[in-house]
Amino acid sequence: MPRYVVLESDIETKGQKIRVMRDGFAVLAIGFPLPWLIFHRLWFEAIMLLPFLLAISMFSNHSDTMGIVLIGNLALGLVIALEGDGRIIARMKRSGFREVATVAEAENLNEAEFHVAFMIDGNALRGAKKAKKSDQDAELERSDMILGLT
């Protein structure tokens, strides 16, 4: 089951200050690691993958090495599939987002966003309750009552 990471930024980007990102296994990256990296704008990782793909393609000319080529492609795809979403989150952290929470009990992105909205509303309610208590405490300090005696 994937984990969802809640990222927050001080600057509003694309109309959002809070983003929920999936951190799990990227199935499409197994078969298509280079296009997957390019689609998600992970340029450095795509450039680092190119020499490995070129080395594997040099072996693909010989019929004796087809098993090695298949295993090599699957191994590269598996590494990208396991670490790809983490690299996207790391890129967002470098661009100014910070991790504020994780949601582990969500089945999909919509459910994770629902949990995040509930957490935000809950924090807002807790903040309102704290403000209400502090107003009551200030009121008690101003009163003439000490220990309930008048």
Side-chain angles (χ1 to χ4, degrees):
M1 182 183 314
R3 172 179 82 116
Y4 293 90
V5 178
V6 181
L7 300 165
E8 183 181 33
S9 175
D10 295 332
I11 303 166
E12 190 169 321
T13 57
K14 296 182 184 177
Q16 297 177 334
K17 287 184 77 170
I18 296 176
R19 307 253 339 246
V20 180
M21 300 298 297
R22 181 181 185 276
D23 187 15
F25 189 77
V27 177
L28 286 176
I30 292 176
F32 310 101
L34 188 62
W36 190 89
L37 289 171
I38 292 171
F39 178 77
H40 290 286
R41 295 188 319 242
L42 295 170
W43 309 118
F44 178 74
E45 289 83 353
I47 290 170
M48 295 302 292
L49 184 67
L50 277 175
F52 294 105
L53 291 176
L54 290 173
I56 289 172
S57 69
M58 286 193 305
F59 285 113
S60 68
N61 294 335
H62 305 290
S63 61
D64 300 340
T65 59
M66 289 306 284
I68 295 172
V69 170
L70 180 65
I71 291 172
N73 278 329
L74 287 177
L76 285 174
L78 186 62
V79 170
I80 300 299
L82 289 171
E83 294 296 325
D85 287 338
R87 299 303 306 158
I88 294 170
I89 293 168
R91 183 193 68 209
M92 291 185 71
K93 285 181 181 178
R94 285 190 305 269
S95 69
F97 282 85
R98 65 182 178 279
E99 185 175 334
V100 292
T102 57
V103 178
E105 60 272 355
E107 293 290 328
N108 55 27
L109 185 62
N110 290 335
E111 191 175 331
E113 288 175 346
F114 176 75
H115 284 289
V116 170
F118 185 71
M119 284 189 297
I120 291 171
D121 289 343
N123 286 338
L125 289 175
R126 272 191 236 116
K129 286 180 184 176
K130 285 181 183 177
K132 193 175 188 180
K133 279 187 179 180
S134 65
D135 290 343
Q136 290 173 350
D137 291 341
E139 220 173 276
L140 284 175
E141 287 176 8
R142 287 190 298 255
S143 72
D144 292 332
M145 290 181 42
I146 298 174
L147 299 174
L149 304 173
T150 55

